[in-house]
Amino acid sequence: MEERKRIYLCLAHMSEAGLEQKYIQEAFDTNWVVPLGPNVSGFEADLESFVGQGKHVVALSSGTAALHLALLLCGVEKGDEVIVQSFTFCASSNPVAYLGANPVFVDSEAKSWNLSPDMLECAIKSRISETGKCPKAIIPVALYGMPYDVDAILKIAAKYNIPVVEDAAEGFGSRWNGRVLGTFGDYGVLSFNGNKMITTSGGGALICPSEEAKRKAMWLATQAREAYPYYHHLAIGYNYRMSNICAGIGRGQMHIVNEHIMHHKHVHELYENGMKNVKGVEIHSNPTALSDSNYWLCTLLLDENVEVKGQGGMYRDAASESIGGIISEVHKSKNPHTDCEPNPNVEALRVWLDKKGIESRPLWKPMHKQPVYESSVAYCNGVSEALFKKGLCLPSGPMVSDRDVEYIIQCICEAIV
Ligand SMILES: *Cc1c(COP(=O)(O)O)cnc(C)c1O
């Protein structure tokens, strides 16, 4: 019998021509093995031409670093409040905590799954009346690549004069009304981690509104050095610049980024068509004519009344494997339950697919339900919690073939009783 390769959510994929290695070799040959150099500048130029709009881009060591710098550039300080979409990965809100500022979590709208404009305005009004101060920034997130309602969010931000930092880490190449995400707000954040739309192994970028903002970001990212022959510092800086080696990978990846995006969209279409007649299963798709998701991860919602084989036995044992990383002995879960977890049928489907050699993963658990953010203020409407309980991310990356999707759909159908 033919051995089937395990199918992952989104694996890195290099250009057929090996361009990444060519750029890396150049860095070695010219001895630019440092966090600046021709690949860094070249990658930034490629990104600037990709995002357009006359924006300026700084390549950094991670998307998290880009968010951290964006908040600093927005003037966020200790004790300030920053509005963050609650339905996200922790990297959206952790930089707020790094600054000693307080995230204020705001729930999602049902159609895009992202920051609800109505809830956003409620939250701003409520913060002003409770603290007498306006939040210092707003962070909407293109979760799984899906655009947020850019127009509505920008309108509210302008009304209260609050800067917007777009977390487009998962939404590289997604568009709203034809324009690339990350170019609407005051700042935009991209990630090139190993599992994102393109990779530099690890890395990120900050989209800046001006040459001046770019220079300031670069200064902060290189330990805030002043122009003297010796080290002289007026401010606390960070070591956040991208290395010339990583940027070489990025330059190679920029040759295939459009192919990657097209492939993710194609995979989404296969799921959507292949599951349209499966009762109780819904594939998340662009909710408006202005939304153009890169479909970084395709996701499904499973109605809670759908019965999945084996669902009775779910959550009996504590997780012994980690999802997406290494679990240390110390951090092994003790209790198989938390107070907010995917429905048993969703967990049963995940386990079923796992046994068939298919990686899937629950949707991101909302930040307002994370114990680490227990004491943070949150404005909730139940949307993100309900989605978290019903949703699963499916293999979507450049290594996922048409036959793989067919097999995945077949396995999902078999799992349903
Ligand atoms: C991946 C990710 C980030 C951070 O990017 P890194 O490069 O991994 O630091 C930020 N926000 C979201 C929503 C992400 O998925």
Side-chain angles (χ1 to χ4, degrees):
M1 206 179 81
E2 193 193 341
E3 184 85 34
R4 195 170 253 290
K5 273 223 228 74
R6 192 166 165 81
I7 309 171
Y8 293 94
L9 286 179
C10 188
L11 285 183
H13 170 259
M14 297 298 125
S15 66
E16 307 293 337
L19 295 166
E20 293 84 359
Q21 293 195 36
K22 181 182 93 66
Y23 287 114
I24 291 176
Q25 192 58 48
E26 261 173 39
F28 277 95
D29 292 344
T30 53
N31 208 19
W32 278 104
V33 187
V34 278
L36 80 168
N39 281 338
V40 177
S41 315
F43 185 40
E44 287 173 343
D46 291 346
L47 290 168
E48 282 171 3
S49 91
F50 184 91
V51 303
Q53 311 297 324
K55 294 282 179 177
H56 301 263
V57 177
V58 185
L60 299 165
S61 54
S62 70
T64 310
L67 264 157
H68 191 181
L69 294 185
L71 295 173
L72 279 162
L73 293 168
C74 290
V76 175
E77 290 176 359
K78 192 172 169 190
D80 286 339
E81 290 190 335
V82 173
I83 292 186
V84 185
Q85 175 173 321
S86 185
F87 198 25
T88 189
F89 178 60
C90 65
S92 307
S93 52
N94 284 350
V96 179
Y98 299 164
L99 288 165
N102 303 311
V104 170
F105 293 113
V106 174
D107 218 321
S108 291
E109 55 171 7
K111 57 182 184 173
S112 71
W113 297 9
N114 293 321
L115 190 63
S116 154
D118 294 340
M119 296 293 292
L120 171 64
E121 185 153 22
C122 274
I124 295 170
K125 282 184 180 153
S126 159
R127 294 330 291 156
I128 293 173
S129 88
E130 288 214 8
T131 68
K133 288 199 303 188
C134 224
K136 276 288 186 68
I138 300 168
I139 308 180
V141 184
L143 209 65
Y144 313 119
M146 184 60 74
Y148 22 80
D149 187 336
V150 172
D151 297 343
I153 291 168
L154 288 186
K155 198 169 156 198
I156 295 164
K159 181 171 168 190
Y160 296 91
N161 199 20
I162 307 173
V164 172
V165 176
E166 294 182 70
D167 182 346
E170 299 176 3
F172 184 44
S174 295
R175 288 164 191 269
W176 174 263
N177 202 5
R179 179 166 150 188
V180 172
L181 289 191
T183 64
F184 292 96
D186 296 72
Y187 292 93
V189 168
L190 303 175
S191 168
F192 315 115
N193 207 340
N195 57 352
K196 296 286 162 77
M197 185 53 81
I198 60 165
T199 186
T200 57
S201 73
L206 183 62
I207 303 174
C208 299
S210 64
E211 186 62 46
E212 194 198 341
K214 173 172 174 167
R215 268 203 303 273
K216 186 147 187 220
M218 277 167 54
W219 171 73
L220 283 170
T222 50
Q223 303 289 25
R225 296 176 204 178
E226 298 301 323
Y228 290 93
Y230 42 88
Y231 292 138
H232 183 79
H233 303 279
L234 300 174
I236 298 292
Y238 302 85
N239 183 6
Y240 278 173
R241 205 69 170 115
M242 181 178 278
S243 91
N244 199 48
I245 302 295
C246 294
I249 305 175
R251 281 180 95 178
Q253 292 269 288
M254 285 307 281
H255 291 269
I256 50 170
V257 60
N258 286 320
E259 255 171 66
H260 276 196
I261 294 169
M262 267 159 44
H263 185 79
H264 282 251
K265 289 181 178 180
H266 170 68
V267 167
H268 169 266
E269 200 178 313
L270 294 176
Y271 280 123
E272 201 181 28
N273 292 334
M275 302 228 249
K276 337 190 243 262
N277 298 321
V278 185
K279 247 186 94 195
V281 177
E282 198 185 314
I283 298 292
H284 185 39
S285 302
N286 287 321
T288 76
L290 300 178
S291 321
D292 178 9
S293 176
N294 65 7
Y295 291 113
W296 170 61
L297 288 186
C298 300
T299 51
L300 65 71
L301 293 180
L302 187 64
D303 190 280
E304 63 186 323
N305 296 316
V306 170
E307 197 186 332
V308 172
K309 288 174 190 156
Q311 73 181 59
M314 288 304 114
Y315 294 120
R316 270 203 303 239
D317 304 311
S320 54
E321 34 136 19
S322 94
I323 299 176
I326 296 154
I327 269 191
S328 70
E329 273 306 305
V330 214
H331 284 166
K332 222 180 239 173
S333 348
K334 292 193 183 66
N335 185 336
H337 290 284
T338 68
D339 71 341
C340 176
E341 60 194 18
N343 292 329
N345 62 350
V346 172
E347 176 59 5
L349 182 56
R350 187 189 71 77
V351 170
W352 175 276
L353 293 175
D354 185 61
K355 289 198 177 119
K356 301 280 180 185
I358 302 163
E359 184 190 24
S360 68
R361 186 180 299 175
L363 301 186
W364 302 178
K365 182 169 179 168
M367 286 305 122
H368 71 271
K369 296 304 290 183
Q370 298 288 355
V372 70
Y373 284 117
E374 212 164 41
S375 61
S376 298
V377 179
Y379 293 85
C380 302
N381 56 10
V383 169
S384 63
E385 249 186 271
L387 291 169
F388 171 62
K389 288 178 180 164
K390 285 168 58 178
L392 209 54
C393 301
L394 300 171
S396 314
M399 308 295 280
V400 178
S401 69
D402 290 24
R403 278 188 56 201
D404 289 339
V405 178
E406 229 172 84
Y407 171 68
I408 294 164
I409 294 173
Q410 181 198 326
C411 290
I412 293 172
C413 293
E414 282 169 13
I416 295 172
V417 177

